[in-house]
Amino acid sequence: MERTLVIVKPDGVQRSLVSSILGRLEIRGLKLVGLKFMRVTPELAQRHYAVHREKPFFGELVAFITSSPVAVAAFEGPNVVAVVRSIVGATNPAASAPGTIRGDLALDVLHNLIHASDAPDTAQAELALWFQPDELVTWQRDTDHWIAAES
Ligand code: UDP
Ligand code: MG
């Protein structure tokens, strides 16, 4: 079963949207398998966003993600990477469809509330970066068989 990394960014925490944002993923049927609240060090931020190192917004992105605590979650489910990205919406909230997290709750490309892994291989690398192995919990949810045939 696929897993993905989700981060409620500092704007989501400051705007008291942690439960609303994670709740949208939870009520879709995705299973929570990891959860923590933490400050992000510049080192972790730079490793997480290494792919954007050369981009003009890299400096402000690292400053933003380290500016205030974040909520970090791991979710599991069938096609969870693509499903979460579709719930999150386009990177720039100005182009995010209504009904998505960014399309309903955000306006600005930097302050777009949430990070979600963009592919199964990046999800695995990001989960390893943000969670120790024993912080990810494999568990049987009593409703699993009502939600997905392969559960
Ligand atoms: N970002 C930005 N300006 C841009 C593009 C991206 O500030 O022109 C920020 C934004 O917070 C985004 C993050 O950089 O979420 C990572 O960019 P990416 O293209 O990976 O977007 P995502 O995968 O988060 O949709
Ligand atoms: Mg990305």
Side-chain angles (χ1 to χ4, degrees), residues 8-11 13-15 37-40 62-71:
V8 181
K9 295 179 179 180
D11 51 341
V13 173
Q14 291 285 350
R15 292 175 56 196
F37 188 70
M38 61 184 279
R39 288 188 189 282
V40 184
V62 169
F64 166 56
I65 203 81
T66 57
S67 64
S68 185
V70 299

Side-chain angles (χ1 to χ4, degrees), residues 7-86:
I7 304 169
V8 181
K9 295 179 179 180
D11 51 341
V13 173
Q14 291 285 350
R15 292 175 56 196
S16 304
L17 291 172
V18 173
S19 60
S20 302
I21 289 170
L22 297 182
R24 285 184 178 219
L25 307 177
E26 198 181 23
I27 61 172
R28 180 69 182 266
L30 301 173
K31 190 198 291 189
L32 194 60
V33 294
L35 183 63
K36 59 182 168 183
F37 188 70
M38 61 184 279
R39 288 188 189 282
V40 184
T41 63
E43 293 71 28
L44 178 57
Q46 283 164 16
R47 287 180 69 187
H48 174 72
Y49 282 126
V51 66
H52 297 305
R53 207 171 25 232
E54 309 301 332
K55 306 267 177 64
F57 57 84
F58 182 70
E60 64 179 1
L61 180 57
V62 169
F64 166 56
I65 203 81
T66 57
S67 64
S68 185
V70 299
V72 189
F75 280 94
E76 183 180 281
N79 303 306
V80 67
V81 172
V83 168
V84 170
R85 291 284 294 193
S86 76

Side-chain angles (χ1 to χ4, degrees), residues 113-130:
L113 293 174
I114 177 169
H115 168 83
S117 307
D118 63 4
D121 56 335
T122 48
Q124 281 196 8
E126 290 178 356
L127 286 165
L129 187 61
W130 288 84

